[in-house]
Amino acid sequence: MGNTRRRRLDQKLPFHQRLLGGFQNSFGSPLANEARLSSKKDNGMSDLEAFINVLKCGFGTGCLAMPYAFLNSGWLVGLICTFALGFFVLYAMHILLHHINNLGVQHNMPMISYRKAVELSIRKGPSMFHYLSKPFGYLVDVLLCVYHFGVDCVYVVFIAKSLKHLGDMYLWVWDERLYMALIASPLILTFLIRDLKSLVPFAIISNFLLITGYFVILNYLFRDLPEFEHLHAIQPLRNFPIFFGTVLFSIESVGILSLGRSMRNPKNLMGTWGVLNQGMIVVISFYAIFGFFGYWRYGENTSNSILQNMPQNDFFPKFATGMFALAIFFSYALQGYVTVDIIWRNYLEPELEDRYLQSVEFLLRIALVIASVLVAIQYPDFGLLLSFVGSFCLAQLGLILPGIVDICLRYEEDYGPGRIFLIRSMLFICMGLAGGVAGTVVTLQTLYARYPVVRR
């Protein structure tokens, strides 16, 4: 059995598995483990494949909400802050990746998850905080689970709204919550697929549909642009937290963290002109341009999803809506796989007897789908849910925790001249706290005001 497994791992992985394995690598999925366990360098991704992976991690449904983000910030503030926040997050990602790589070398570990990196970092920090290493490790797991579960909730809302849009024109006028209930069963069927490699075709189809859909939208964004003078350059500060959460959701991707370990030449990921910078510059620039022109095209009428602003009677917008709905449907199980993987492998599987494993895992998967549908039914707002997930989860995963890791690992060394590295890390933490708390509070207040749990 062992020889068979070694022979299988020594075989060169197909192109699509290397791409998907790189994306899932930081979450410890079986396919990612298979991709990294092989000792042969030719099994790794080329720089081009890694670049495609960075783009794939960066692009998603968050882009559809970027014009709405610009509506809340103003076009001038939106342009400046999209690039500023994007490059700030990219800088934090570089620092975190640097420390993860160093920890791997120091502890002779070929693969270190985000959780393990945080735990090891805190143990190297001030001794009075060593007892917090495990709680912070659990926090990383919670944030990753909440993030991917939140993405699935956003997906349910998006699919339901798209189906309602098409259904109102061709079938019956139904409440969008009814569509959410109807898609629960198909989502459960895809979510019961346990093998990540079986989800590869879903990822390929989803990517093709997303790319085609974006081309259709861009074709309409640049048509008949109205007078520019009517746009607001700066919006009230109270709206900025929604912009902050939306941009974080759109740009930040924790799936990139261990991408270098799936590459043939890992050193090419980092650096000024490395693969990570090249890919993220493309992603950030596209999001800024998309948000700017989307806001310019529709102004104060910009919806929280740009698809809702497309012409109602044209064929191609309807076609794009259907493609996006189908693409997100195929992406649902991939996002949820991470949540199941963390809950199941880290917490449930070790505590159960073998005879109960399969049944409990299926119940967990079904429960997660039902829970995501119920959350979407209660809060059917694509833009606000998206902003909440970005503010609550990604402010911590993308800014606060990288700052804490950097402070702890430099504790026994030197914080540089004038303690510049300490100041830098505190800036990460303060920005994450300010934006994350403000964004979380504002979105929760708005969600509760629009969709109160108890209606009077």
Side-chain angles (χ1 to χ4, degrees), residues 230-245:
H230 298 300
L231 298 181
H232 295 285
I234 302 173
Q235 293 282 28
L237 185 61
R238 65 178 180 272
N239 297 339
F240 187 80
I242 295 178
F243 168 86
F244 178 87

Side-chain angles (χ1 to χ4, degrees), residues 68-347:
Y68 180 70
F70 272 63
L71 172 66
N72 284 282
S73 66
W75 67 265
L76 180 60
V77 173
L79 281 175
I80 295 173
C81 290
T82 298
F83 282 106
L85 184 57
F87 288 122
F88 201 73
V89 168
L90 179 59
Y91 185 36
M93 196 182 300
H94 269 278
I95 294 170
L96 184 59
L97 278 168
H98 173 75
H99 287 313
I100 287 177
N101 292 335
N102 287 344
L103 287 170
V105 173
Q106 292 172 16
H107 295 271
N108 195 26
M109 299 172 67
M111 174 65 187
I112 294 185
S113 66
Y114 197 168
R115 171 184 173 172
K116 191 67 177 177
V118 171
E119 290 180 353
L120 292 174
S121 300
I122 294 178
R123 288 175 195 162
K124 291 178 178 292
S127 58
M128 68 179 70
F129 297 122
H130 286 183
Y131 74 97
L132 291 174
S133 62
K134 281 294 183 183
F136 267 83
Y138 294 139
L139 174 64
V140 172
D141 277 352
V142 169
L143 290 173
L144 287 173
C145 288
V146 172
Y147 165 58
H148 288 280
F149 176 78
V151 172
D152 275 344
C153 296
V154 172
Y155 283 2
V156 172
V157 173
F158 180 85
I159 296 170
K161 286 184 177 292
S162 299
L163 292 178
K164 174 176 170 55
H165 175 74
L166 297 174
D168 287 354
M169 290 186 289
Y170 296 108
L171 298 173
W172 306 278
V173 179
W174 284 354
D175 188 281
E176 59 193 20
R177 292 177 173 88
L178 182 57
Y179 284 102
M180 294 177 191
L182 291 175
I183 63 175
S185 296
L187 289 175
I188 288 175
L189 292 178
T190 62
F191 212 64
L192 290 179
I193 300 175
R194 302 169 65 193
D195 185 8
L196 185 64
K197 285 184 281 189
S198 301
L199 295 175
V200 170
F202 292 90
I204 295 173
I205 295 171
S206 174
N207 292 334
F208 173 76
L209 293 173
L210 285 175
I211 292 171
T212 307
Y214 277 123
F215 273 114
V216 173
I217 293 176
L218 289 172
N219 183 50
Y220 281 88
L221 284 189
F222 299 117
R223 288 185 185 180
D224 304 322
L225 290 171
E227 294 290 334
F228 188 76
E229 291 76 12
H230 298 300
L231 298 181
H232 295 285
I234 302 173
Q235 293 282 28
L237 185 61
R238 65 178 180 272
N239 297 339
F240 187 80
I242 295 178
F243 168 86
F244 178 87
T246 303
V247 173
L248 268 189
F249 181 96
S250 303
I251 293 175
E252 173 66 34
S253 179
V254 292
I256 296 174
L257 291 181
S258 294
L259 187 60
R261 301 200 181 276
S262 300
M263 295 175 62
R264 295 174 197 161
N265 301 302
K267 64 180 185 298
N268 293 346
L269 179 68
M270 309 281 281
T272 306
W273 299 109
V275 172
L276 179 59
N277 279 355
Q278 294 175 20
M280 290 305 295
I281 286 173
V282 172
V283 170
I284 294 169
S285 300
F286 181 83
Y287 274 55
I289 293 171
F290 192 90
F292 173 77
F293 279 97
Y295 176 48
W296 185 0
R297 178 68 177 82
Y298 298 107
E300 297 302 309
N301 296 320
T302 303
S303 299
N304 54 26
S305 171
I306 196 67
L307 282 174
Q308 298 175 19
N309 291 114
M310 296 285 104
Q312 302 292 316
N313 299 321
D314 290 5
F315 167 76
F316 285 107
K318 301 173 188 175
F319 183 59
T321 300
M323 284 192 296
F324 271 105
L326 198 57
I328 299 309
F329 175 81
F330 286 131
S331 299
Y332 181 93
L334 277 172
Q335 288 290 341
Y337 184 93
V338 179
T339 306
V340 172
D341 196 53
I342 292 173
I343 296 175
W344 180 248
R345 295 182 185 277
N346 293 350
Y347 301 98

Side-chain angles (χ1 to χ4, degrees), residues 16-29:
H16 64 272
Q17 288 190 11
R18 293 201 303 274
L19 286 182
L20 187 60
F23 174 72
Q24 294 292 341
N25 208 7
S26 62
F27 307 116
S29 67

Side-chain angles (χ1 to χ4, degrees), residues 351-393:
E351 305 297 328
L352 295 172
E353 297 181 15
D354 291 345
R355 56 179 175 171
Y356 298 126
L357 290 179
Q358 189 173 20
S359 300
V360 175
E361 184 181 355
F362 282 150
L363 288 175
L364 171 64
R365 291 173 178 272
I366 293 172
L368 286 173
V369 175
I370 294 174
S372 67
V373 171
L374 290 177
V375 171
I377 288 175
Q378 176 60 41
Y379 303 108
D381 193 300
F382 174 75
L384 289 177
L385 276 180
L386 184 148
S387 180
F388 169 75
V389 173
S391 298
F392 179 73
C393 298

Side-chain angles (χ1 to χ4, degrees), residues 420-450:
I420 183 67
F421 295 126
L422 178 61
I423 296 173
R424 177 189 66 183
S425 297
M426 291 304 300
L427 186 60
F428 287 151
I429 295 172
C430 291
M431 177 176 285
L433 282 173
V437 171
T440 301
V441 170
V442 169
T443 50
L444 285 178
Q445 288 178 339
T446 309
L447 281 171
Y448 182 76
R450 293 184 183 178

Side-chain angles (χ1 to χ4, degrees), residues 9-10 36-41 43:
L9 293 178
D10 285 340
R36 66 178 171 80
L37 284 173
S38 176
S39 59
K40 292 189 175 182
K41 285 292 183 181
N43 280 2

